[in-house]
């Protein structure tokens, strides 16, 4: 267990050691148990978190805000379009100024080729920890909740097969940050990771390489597939979700047109039956219902999406309590 994490940024889990992530899990499960028992845990009394959003959110916003209140502090919601950020406040100014008002700064900025750079610029100028609430490359808190859910439902993740798969959606071109963070983290936990996608929906080659290195180091594996059905076969955990083809085109309209070739990439009962009988279905949400996944699957017995969403709260509280 690592006990000196005060002041640390969390921009990607890859920058935290396995021991440190184990500590997050340990504390997250403890805080979850304490909340179930009604035991107060005001570790951040009088502390304030700034939550800066450049993109919409339901779960991330609500869970960080609830988490800060439960830890005895407060979270302030700041939206880029309704503040002077829209008129030119720079990343450096945000880091300097919000860092002087607050004890932590959390940012969601998912613009392709920009979000991660922006968050790192804020972190460079901030005297307090900076948290990535999702950028163009990573969604670290989502996959901490996913790891927690897998451990909760399946026990030791080593040797389990997880299928991280593209699925079709029509609502918007979703960032690649969730599948990238998943393949990076789950390979560090000894899982056999399948990355399944059509040829146009590749992830960043350097991230895939890092995941391959993680697998080698931690006794897992990384397998690349382009057959949607094959990804489900014999899997213990299935995580079919949509993302845009950012590596093929930066044009959202073109990405949407390419996606239309794959409208049959929908998670349905027939495909779930290809996975292990006790396989669990994960999705970070929001999902395009009956386009990306059928109601029968997402509302079915194998779906653990509500426990997964709940675990955002506990994982984030753990990181905030350890770092702020
Ligand atoms: N999964 C997730 O990050 O949800 P929100 O976009 O609603 O925050």
């Amino acid at each position: 267990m690592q006990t000196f994490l005060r002041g640390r940024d969390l921009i990607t889990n890859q920058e935290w050691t396995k021991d440190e992530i184990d500590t997050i899990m340990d504390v997250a499960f403890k805080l979850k148990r304490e909340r179930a028992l009604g035991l107060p845990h005001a570790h951040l009394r009088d502390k304030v978190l700034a939550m800066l959003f450049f993109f919409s959110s339901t779960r991330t916003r609500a869970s960080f805000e609830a988490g800060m209140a439960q830890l005895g502090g407060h979270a302030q919601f700041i939206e880029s379009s309704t503040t002077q950020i829209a008129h030119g406040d720079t990343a450096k100014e945000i880091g300097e100024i919000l860092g002087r008002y607050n004890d932590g700064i959390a940012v969601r900025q998912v613009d392709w080729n920009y979000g991660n750079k922006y968050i790192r610029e804020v972190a460079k100028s901030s005297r307090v920890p900076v948290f990535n609430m999702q950028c163009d490359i990573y969604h670290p808190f989502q996959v901490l909740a996913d790891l927690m859910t897998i451990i909760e439902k399946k026990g030791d993740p080593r040797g389990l097969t997880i299928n991280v798969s593209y699925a079709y959606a029509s609502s918007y071109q979703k960032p690649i940050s969730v599948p990238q963070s998943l393949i990076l983290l789950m390979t560090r936990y000894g899982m056999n990771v399948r990355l399944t996608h059509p040829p146009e929906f590749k992830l960043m080659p350097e991230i895939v390489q890092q995941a391959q290195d993680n697998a080698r180091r931690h006794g897992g594996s990384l397998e690349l597939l382009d057959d949607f059905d094959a990804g489900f076969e014999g899997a213990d955990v299935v995580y079919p979700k949509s993302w845009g083809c950012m590596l093929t085109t930066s044009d959202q309209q073109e990405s949407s047109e390419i996606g239309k070739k794959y409208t049959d990439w929908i998670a349905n009962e027939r495909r779930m039956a290809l996975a292990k009988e006790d396989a669990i279905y994960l999705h970070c949400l929001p999902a395009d219902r009956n386009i990306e996944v059928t109601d029968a699957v997402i509302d079915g017995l194998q779906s653990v999406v509500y426990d997964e969403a709940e675990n955002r709260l506990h994982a984030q509280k753990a990181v905030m309590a350890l770092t702020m």
Side-chain angles (χ1 to χ4, degrees):
M1 169 171 275
Q2 297 299 314
T3 53
F4 189 70
L5 296 167
R6 215 56 64 195
R8 287 281 294 278
D9 297 330
L10 181 44
I11 296 177
T12 164
N13 296 315
Q14 195 68 11
E15 291 167 352
W16 284 49
T17 66
K18 168 89 169 32
D19 269 3
E20 290 167 347
I21 296 172
D22 287 345
T23 303
I24 297 172
M25 289 296 116
D26 195 62
V27 173
F29 280 116
K30 177 178 185 291
L31 293 173
K32 184 170 186 174
R33 270 195 301 276
E34 287 177 353
R35 182 166 161 74
L37 293 169
L39 296 173
H41 39 236
H43 302 299
L44 298 180
R45 192 169 286 135
D46 299 331
K47 297 211 171 177
V48 184
L49 174 75
M51 305 186 302
L52 171 56
F53 284 90
F54 289 81
F55 192 75
S56 54
S57 166
T58 306
R59 280 145 292 270
T60 305
R61 175 184 173 180
S63 54
F64 266 102
E65 190 165 337
M68 273 307 288
Q70 290 161 20
L71 290 168
H74 172 74
Q76 52 171 303
F77 173 67
I78 305 167
E79 198 183 30
S80 63
S81 63
T82 54
T83 55
Q84 296 289 32
I85 294 168
H87 297 143
D89 281 334
T90 65
K92 179 177 190 310
E93 287 160 359
I94 291 300
E96 279 284 358
I97 297 164
L98 294 188
R100 292 173 192 225
Y101 300 157
N102 294 278
D103 303 282
I105 305 174
V107 185
R108 170 170 283 192
Q109 170 38 286
V110 299
D111 291 351
W112 179 241
N113 260 334
Y114 180 68
N116 188 264
K117 291 186 188 91
Y118 179 88
I119 295 173
R120 291 204 185 273
E121 198 60 33
V122 172
K124 220 160 49 182
S125 309
S126 169
R127 58 177 67 180
V128 297
V130 169
F131 307 129
N132 178 359
M133 294 195 293
Q134 189 176 20
C135 69
D136 50 334
I137 304 177
Y138 308 110
H139 198 350
F141 291 97
Q142 177 62 53
V143 301
L144 289 174
D146 297 337
L147 176 62
M148 205 179 156
T149 309
I150 292 168
I151 293 171
E152 216 167 41
K153 304 293 176 189
K154 293 276 168 200
D156 187 347
R158 280 176 298 180
L160 296 179
T161 297
I162 179 170
N163 178 36
V164 177
S165 176
Y166 170 84
Y168 176 68
S170 55
S171 55
Y172 68 106
Q173 298 308 293
K174 304 183 185 190
I176 58 176
S177 49
V178 170
Q180 296 204 140
S181 298
L182 280 170
I183 64 166
L184 285 174
L185 186 61
M186 301 316 167
T187 46
R188 294 175 79 189
Y189 276 79
M191 295 187 79
N192 300 316
V193 178
R194 284 183 191 154
L195 174 62
T196 311
H197 60 75
E200 300 92 335
F201 289 82
K202 288 190 173 60
L203 302 184
M204 292 165 67
E206 57 271 38
I207 297 288
V208 176
Q209 183 59 55
Q210 281 174 37
Q212 253 147 6
D213 295 344
N214 288 347
R216 246 192 315 277
R217 215 166 291 140
H218 297 280
S221 63
L222 180 70
E223 181 188 12
L224 307 184
L225 301 178
D226 61 6
D227 179 326
F228 192 47
D229 282 10
F232 283 80
E233 279 167 20
D236 299 283
V237 181
V238 295
Y239 204 135
K241 79 163 302 291
S242 190
W243 63 81
C245 51
M246 281 73 173
L247 276 290
T248 301
T249 174
S250 53
D251 184 298
Q252 299 263 320
Q253 191 52 41
E254 195 184 350
S255 178
S256 161
E257 287 305 316
I258 293 169
K260 286 178 188 161
K261 292 201 283 184
Y262 302 104
T263 54
D264 60 329
W265 285 51
I266 175 171
N268 58 22
E269 286 172 295
R270 179 183 72 74
R271 278 151 178 157
M272 283 303 295
L274 298 173
K276 288 220 179 102
E277 207 177 331
D278 62 349
I280 53 171
Y281 168 88
L282 295 178
H283 193 296
C284 54
L285 304 178
D288 285 26
R289 277 177 174 258
N290 300 309
I291 296 173
E292 195 174 354
V293 54
T294 62
D295 285 340
V297 169
I298 199 166
D299 295 329
L301 291 174
Q302 288 166 282
S303 172
V304 295
V305 295
Y306 298 126
D307 290 334
E308 180 186 7
E310 179 189 331
N311 285 337
R312 292 290 305 272
L313 174 74
H314 310 300
Q316 289 157 197
K317 282 168 71 179
V319 174
M320 292 191 289
L322 288 162
T323 60
M324 281 175 65

PDB file of all heavy atoms in Angstrom, residues 181-193:
ATOM      1  N   SER A 181      -8.108   3.813 -22.205  1.00  0.00           N
ATOM      2  CA  SER A 181      -7.793   3.667 -20.776  1.00  0.00           C
ATOM      3  C   SER A 181      -8.053   2.235 -20.311  1.00  0.00           C
ATOM      4  O   SER A 181      -7.339   1.722 -19.446  1.00  0.00           O
ATOM      5  CB  SER A 181      -8.630   4.646 -19.956  1.00  0.00           C
ATOM      6  OG  SER A 181      -8.312   5.965 -20.330  1.00  0.00           O
ATOM      7  N   LEU A 182      -9.070   1.592 -20.890  1.00  0.00           N
ATOM      8  CA  LEU A 182      -9.369   0.204 -20.511  1.00  0.00           C
ATOM      9  C   LEU A 182      -8.232  -0.730 -20.893  1.00  0.00           C
ATOM     10  O   LEU A 182      -7.790  -1.550 -20.076  1.00  0.00           O
ATOM     11  CB  LEU A 182     -10.655  -0.270 -21.215  1.00  0.00           C
ATOM     12  CG  LEU A 182     -11.979   0.162 -20.593  1.00  0.00           C
ATOM     13  CD1 LEU A 182     -13.130  -0.173 -21.534  1.00  0.00           C
ATOM     14  CD2 LEU A 182     -12.200  -0.515 -19.243  1.00  0.00           C
ATOM     15  N   ILE A 183      -7.744  -0.627 -22.130  1.00  0.00           N
ATOM     16  CA  ILE A 183      -6.700  -1.594 -22.531  1.00  0.00           C
ATOM     17  C   ILE A 183      -5.408  -1.336 -21.757  1.00  0.00           C
ATOM     18  O   ILE A 183      -4.658  -2.260 -21.477  1.00  0.00           O
ATOM     19  CB  ILE A 183      -6.465  -1.641 -24.068  1.00  0.00           C
ATOM     20  CG1 ILE A 183      -5.922  -0.318 -24.609  1.00  0.00           C
ATOM     21  CG2 ILE A 183      -7.743  -2.055 -24.801  1.00  0.00           C
ATOM     22  CD1 ILE A 183      -5.377  -0.437 -26.031  1.00  0.00           C
ATOM     23  N   LEU A 184      -5.180  -0.073 -21.377  1.00  0.00           N
ATOM     24  CA  LEU A 184      -3.978   0.227 -20.588  1.00  0.00           C
ATOM     25  C   LEU A 184      -4.073  -0.336 -19.171  1.00  0.00           C
ATOM     26  O   LEU A 184      -3.114  -0.898 -18.653  1.00  0.00           O
ATOM     27  CB  LEU A 184      -3.768   1.751 -20.497  1.00  0.00           C
ATOM     28  CG  LEU A 184      -3.242   2.445 -21.744  1.00  0.00           C
ATOM     29  CD1 LEU A 184      -3.243   3.962 -21.540  1.00  0.00           C
ATOM     30  CD2 LEU A 184      -1.840   1.968 -22.099  1.00  0.00           C
ATOM     31  N   LEU A 185      -5.236  -0.173 -18.547  1.00  0.00           N
ATOM     32  CA  LEU A 185      -5.345  -0.581 -17.135  1.00  0.00           C
ATOM     33  C   LEU A 185      -5.541  -2.091 -16.996  1.00  0.00           C
ATOM     34  O   LEU A 185      -4.902  -2.727 -16.145  1.00  0.00           O
ATOM     35  CB  LEU A 185      -6.498   0.169 -16.452  1.00  0.00           C
ATOM     36  CG  LEU A 185      -6.613  -0.075 -14.946  1.00  0.00           C
ATOM     37  CD1 LEU A 185      -5.361   0.390 -14.200  1.00  0.00           C
ATOM     38  CD2 LEU A 185      -7.848   0.604 -14.368  1.00  0.00           C
ATOM     39  N   MET A 186      -6.413  -2.673 -17.805  1.00  0.00           N
ATOM     40  CA  MET A 186      -6.754  -4.092 -17.587  1.00  0.00           C
ATOM     41  C   MET A 186      -5.577  -5.010 -17.923  1.00  0.00           C
ATOM     42  O   MET A 186      -5.443  -6.082 -17.331  1.00  0.00           O
ATOM     43  CB  MET A 186      -8.011  -4.478 -18.371  1.00  0.00           C
ATOM     44  CG  MET A 186      -9.235  -3.658 -17.992  1.00  0.00           C
ATOM     45  SD  MET A 186      -9.448  -3.412 -16.185  1.00  0.00           S
ATOM     46  CE  MET A 186     -10.706  -2.123 -16.146  1.00  0.00           C
ATOM     47  N   THR A 187      -4.692  -4.579 -18.824  1.00  0.00           N
ATOM     48  CA  THR A 187      -3.493  -5.388 -19.092  1.00  0.00           C
ATOM     49  C   THR A 187      -2.551  -5.354 -17.892  1.00  0.00           C
ATOM     50  O   THR A 187      -1.764  -6.281 -17.693  1.00  0.00           O
ATOM     51  CB  THR A 187      -2.744  -4.885 -20.346  1.00  0.00           C
ATOM     52  OG1 THR A 187      -2.640  -3.456 -20.291  1.00  0.00           O
ATOM     53  CG2 THR A 187      -3.446  -5.290 -21.627  1.00  0.00           C
ATOM     54  N   ARG A 188      -2.619  -4.313 -17.066  1.00  0.00           N
ATOM     55  CA  ARG A 188      -1.764  -4.250 -15.863  1.00  0.00           C
ATOM     56  C   ARG A 188      -2.305  -5.145 -14.762  1.00  0.00           C
ATOM     57  O   ARG A 188      -1.633  -5.391 -13.770  1.00  0.00           O
ATOM     58  CB  ARG A 188      -1.680  -2.797 -15.357  1.00  0.00           C
ATOM     59  CG  ARG A 188      -0.959  -1.892 -16.321  1.00  0.00           C
ATOM     60  CD  ARG A 188      -1.002  -0.467 -15.852  1.00  0.00           C
ATOM     61  NE  ARG A 188      -0.044  -0.212 -14.811  1.00  0.00           N
ATOM     62  CZ  ARG A 188      -0.007   0.928 -14.104  1.00  0.00           C
ATOM     63  NH1 ARG A 188      -0.890   1.876 -14.336  1.00  0.00           N
ATOM     64  NH2 ARG A 188       0.909   1.106 -13.187  1.00  0.00           N
ATOM     65  N   TYR A 189      -3.550  -5.563 -14.892  1.00  0.00           N
ATOM     66  CA  TYR A 189      -4.154  -6.436 -13.892  1.00  0.00           C
ATOM     67  C   TYR A 189      -4.218  -7.886 -14.388  1.00  0.00           C
ATOM     68  O   TYR A 189      -5.048  -8.668 -13.924  1.00  0.00           O
ATOM     69  CB  TYR A 189      -5.516  -5.873 -13.450  1.00  0.00           C
ATOM     70  CG  TYR A 189      -5.290  -4.831 -12.364  1.00  0.00           C
ATOM     71  CD1 TYR A 189      -4.888  -3.540 -12.701  1.00  0.00           C
ATOM     72  CD2 TYR A 189      -5.364  -5.159 -11.023  1.00  0.00           C
ATOM     73  CE1 TYR A 189      -4.599  -2.606 -11.714  1.00  0.00           C
ATOM     74  CE2 TYR A 189      -5.086  -4.235 -10.027  1.00  0.00           C
ATOM     75  CZ  TYR A 189      -4.703  -2.964 -10.378  1.00  0.00           C
ATOM     76  OH  TYR A 189      -4.406  -2.050  -9.387  1.00  0.00           O
ATOM     77  N   GLY A 190      -3.328  -8.212 -15.348  1.00  0.00           N
ATOM     78  CA  GLY A 190      -3.181  -9.609 -15.786  1.00  0.00           C
ATOM     79  C   GLY A 190      -4.363 -10.149 -16.567  1.00  0.00           C
ATOM     80  O   GLY A 190      -4.527 -11.372 -16.675  1.00  0.00           O
ATOM     81  N   MET A 191      -5.186  -9.268 -17.121  1.00  0.00           N
ATOM     82  CA  MET A 191      -6.347  -9.761 -17.871  1.00  0.00           C
ATOM     83  C   MET A 191      -5.952 -10.062 -19.312  1.00  0.00           C
ATOM     84  O   MET A 191      -5.004  -9.479 -19.848  1.00  0.00           O
ATOM     85  CB  MET A 191      -7.485  -8.725 -17.850  1.00  0.00           C
ATOM     86  CG  MET A 191      -8.052  -8.490 -16.461  1.00  0.00           C
ATOM     87  SD  MET A 191      -9.528  -7.436 -16.459  1.00  0.00           S
ATOM     88  CE  MET A 191     -10.805  -8.605 -16.953  1.00  0.00           C
ATOM     89  N   ASN A 192      -6.675 -10.981 -19.928  1.00  0.00           N
ATOM     90  CA  ASN A 192      -6.547 -11.207 -21.372  1.00  0.00           C
ATOM     91  C   ASN A 192      -7.482 -10.221 -22.048  1.00  0.00           C
ATOM     92  O   ASN A 192      -8.697 -10.363 -21.967  1.00  0.00           O
ATOM     93  CB  ASN A 192      -6.905 -12.649 -21.713  1.00  0.00           C
ATOM     94  CG  ASN A 192      -5.985 -13.615 -20.996  1.00  0.00           C
ATOM     95  OD1 ASN A 192      -4.770 -13.410 -20.946  1.00  0.00           O
ATOM     96  ND2 ASN A 192      -6.552 -14.645 -20.393  1.00  0.00           N
ATOM     97  N   VAL A 193      -6.899  -9.207 -22.644  1.00  0.00           N
ATOM     98  CA  VAL A 193      -7.697  -8.107 -23.199  1.00  0.00           C
ATOM     99  C   VAL A 193      -7.853  -8.310 -24.698  1.00  0.00           C
ATOM    100  O   VAL A 193      -6.867  -8.474 -25.415  1.00  0.00           O
ATOM    101  CB  VAL A 193      -7.020  -6.753 -22.912  1.00  0.00           C
ATOM    102  CG1 VAL A 193      -7.826  -5.612 -23.529  1.00  0.00           C
ATOM    103  CG2 VAL A 193      -6.856  -6.540 -21.411  1.00  0.00           C
TER     104      VAL A 193
END
